[in-house]
Amino acid sequence: MINRLFGNYLVEKQILTQNQLDDLLPVQKDFKAEVATIAVINKILSSAAALDLLRQLDQGNERFGDAAIEAGYLSDEKLDEILTYQMNTFMKFVQSLLDRGVFSLEQVNLFLDEFQRLGGYTDAQISSLIHDDLEECIYIFVPLKSERLKEFALTLVRTIRRLLDSDAYLDKAYTARSLQLDKYACQVIVGDMHMKVYISAPGDGLLAIANHFAEDTYDAVDEDALDNVGEFINCVNGLFATNLSYDDITIDMNSPEYSVDGPFISNEKLYVIPIHANGYSFRAVLEVYE
């Protein structure tokens, strides 16, 4: 999630172009972040200390981690901890930016600190984003009190990341009492929980789902594309039902519905979750009846 959020910040600062960001994501799976990069991002080493060690390595064959231990910057245990982050997607993203010369190691935490300040993230929240603690990340953007709704939001985002876009991200969720929807698909959940789940977007926003959930490719959001969106919602709700069953909570789902003409909905409990995936924006709307 943070890769797109931090990448968008770099685009806004004109450090990256949008095309460059799109080319960098998703990060390669067979790529590892370097120890020096991880140590600086985690603020275990200052960039000055890391760069000093790197300059020393230029004159020999010693590894950075070994040199940092010899210099007293790291313990064996701390190096082992750092190595566990080599496949972390944000660490790899920053490493790819460094490798391409987008910015220097000295600038990494300057940019990260400004990104944190502009986003209003606490230290704990930025740590959750960097280390991809998805459950905590969800709570940053979807601060719902209901445990069931939190579980639904987590299931939704996990499914989007697994099936649609591994770098999908959220804007801050909000509540509403009435809402005009655009093109949409929806499904009603009944049983121990009563809720209607909509996914809606203007224009071709729902191609983010329709063109990535199934093997079909659509040029525009028509009824066939919306049928695919409805099946995606059914998939999410099915996973949600399975998760609830472990706590002896039983729900069932009606058949999905969809239309190119969105309804005007009104309810005391409307929860709106803005989502960005595959270059498009859409929103999940939870209409809760309980």
Side-chain angles (χ1 to χ4, degrees):
M1 190 176 297
I2 191 176
N3 286 354
R4 276 288 174 188
L5 291 168
F6 186 60
N8 290 344
Y9 154 79
L10 294 175
V11 170
E12 289 172 6
K13 285 186 67 69
Q14 299 183 333
I15 305 297
L16 276 179
T17 67
Q18 188 63 53
N19 286 339
Q20 286 174 320
L21 176 59
D22 293 341
D23 184 54
L24 284 164
L25 296 176
V27 292
Q28 299 173 18
K29 291 183 178 180
D30 58 348
F31 176 66
K32 291 183 180 181
E34 295 179 5
V35 170
T37 302
I38 299 167
V40 169
I41 293 173
N42 282 339
K43 299 184 178 179
I44 297 169
L45 285 181
S46 68
S47 59
L51 288 169
D52 184 54
L53 283 171
L54 287 170
R55 281 191 289 269
Q56 294 178 39
L57 293 179
D58 288 341
Q59 303 171 13
N61 296 319
E62 192 175 19
R63 292 184 177 183
F64 181 89
D66 295 333
I69 290 172
E70 289 179 11
Y73 288 118
L74 298 179
S75 64
D76 290 330
E77 293 77 12
K78 185 58 70 172
L79 177 58
D80 288 342
E81 179 186 334
I82 288 172
L83 293 175
T84 65
Y85 292 122
Q86 285 194 296
M87 297 303 291
N88 173 280
T89 57
F90 182 67
M91 305 294 178
K92 295 199 296 182
F93 178 50
V94 173
Q95 188 65 59
S96 66
L97 293 169
L98 291 169
D99 290 349
R100 295 195 182 198
V102 174
F103 50 60
S104 69
L105 194 61
E106 293 171 305
Q107 295 174 297
V108 169
N109 282 335
L110 294 175
F111 286 138
L112 265 177
D113 289 345
E114 185 179 54
F115 167 73
Q116 178 180 352
R117 179 178 59 80
L118 292 175
Y121 304 117
T122 65
D123 289 344
Q125 289 173 335
I126 202 72
S127 178
S128 295
L129 287 165
I130 287 173
H131 297 101
D132 201 29
D133 184 339
L134 188 56
E135 187 168 348
E136 291 300 321
C137 290
I138 295 298
Y139 296 163
I140 295 171
F141 298 99
V142 192
L144 297 168
K145 293 181 179 179
S146 166
E147 290 301 320
R148 293 185 190 178
L149 292 180
K150 286 179 182 178
E151 177 64 37
F152 178 83
L154 186 59
T155 303
L156 173 63
V157 174
R158 278 177 174 160
T159 308
I160 289 171
R161 285 179 34 150
R162 187 172 72 251
L163 300 181
L164 303 180
D165 180 1
S166 61
D167 290 307
Y169 65 99
L170 308 178
D171 287 332
K172 198 81 169 183
Y174 58 93
T175 59
R177 293 192 174 184
S178 61
L179 204 62
Q180 176 64 55
L181 296 183
D182 303 290
K183 298 174 183 178
Y184 78 99
C186 68
Q187 186 174 46
V188 175
I189 292 173
V190 294
D192 291 338
M193 183 178 186
H194 191 191
M195 178 173 73
K196 195 169 187 176
V197 178
Y198 298 87
I199 293 183
S200 176
D204 292 329
L206 293 182
L207 292 180
I209 300 172
N211 282 350
H212 295 268
F213 179 61
E215 295 181 357
D216 299 316
T217 301
Y218 302 93
D219 295 323
V221 176
D222 55 19
E223 291 196 347
D224 288 335
L226 290 173
D227 186 27
N228 267 342
V229 178
E231 290 305 314
F232 173 76
I233 296 174
N234 187 63
C235 174
V236 173
N237 288 341
L239 293 169
F240 180 52
T242 299
N243 293 338
L244 291 184
S245 69
Y246 299 138
D247 294 325
D248 295 323
I249 299 170
T250 302
I251 61 170
D252 201 354
M253 290 84 72
N254 295 345
S255 298
E257 304 170 12
Y258 53 86
S259 175
V260 294
D261 298 313
F264 179 83
I265 57 176
S266 179
N267 189 298
E268 288 293 319
K269 293 183 178 180
L270 293 175
Y271 302 94
V272 185
I273 306 173
I275 303 168
H276 306 269
N278 295 315
Y280 294 96
S281 301
F282 56 94
R283 55 187 176 174
V285 179
L286 314 181
E287 185 174 9
V288 179
Y289 298 109
E290 57 184 21

